[in-house]
Amino acid sequence: MRGIFFEEDHARAVAERLARDGYDASIRRERLAGEDDDEAHPWAVLTDAPGFVFELLIDQYDGWLEVDEPAAPADQHPVELPTAPRRIKRP
């Protein structure tokens, strides 16, 4: 899971709190598409903490949560879509 914060102090406070509680937490800069100013990039906190614990800290420090989508199972194949409309009436 990843929490995004615009203030470095907030990101560091969340990471320190998670580390004190016994969870792994790391901080890195999150590069957003189209953002040219290096100082404007938000901070990301990556952790293995349970979602509800992390969400409480994110709410407290005005951040937002990004959850990685699980990968599709290997045996699941993409749905085949039709290439043309189906005819309902005869010509």
Side-chain angles (χ1 to χ4, degrees), residues 3-4 8 14 24 60 62-63 77 84:
I4 307 296
E8 179 181 8
V14 169
D24 289 331
Q60 181 180 351
D62 296 325
H77 300 288

Side-chain angles (χ1 to χ4, degrees), residues 30-43:
E30 188 71 18
R31 299 189 70 82
L32 297 178
E35 190 63 48
D36 294 334
D37 186 10
D38 283 339
E39 294 301 316
H41 293 298
W43 293 86

Side-chain angles (χ1 to χ4, degrees), residues 10 13 18-19 21 24 26 38 40-43 46 48 52 59 65-67 79 83 90:
H10 293 175
L18 290 169
D21 292 345
D24 289 331
S26 62
D38 283 339
H41 293 298
W43 293 86
L46 305 167
D48 64 345
F52 67 91
D59 287 342
L65 178 66
E66 287 188 355
V67 179
V79 177
T83 57
R90 296 181 188 192

Side-chain angles (χ1 to χ4, degrees), residues 19-30:
R20 258 195 330 263
D21 292 345
Y23 303 109
D24 289 331
S26 62
I27 301 172
R28 69 175 189 188
R29 290 304 287 261
E30 188 71 18

Side-chain angles (χ1 to χ4, degrees), residues 52-90:
F52 67 91
V53 172
F54 198 31
E55 282 186 61
L56 289 173
L57 289 171
I58 287 172
D59 287 342
Q60 181 180 351
Y61 288 97
D62 296 325
W64 74 87
L65 178 66
E66 287 188 355
V67 179
D68 296 329
E69 294 293 325
D75 62 340
Q76 185 179 7
H77 300 288
V79 177
E80 289 189 31
L81 299 175
T83 57
R86 232 175 51 193
R87 293 192 181 268
I88 297 175
K89 299 179 181 179
R90 296 181 188 192

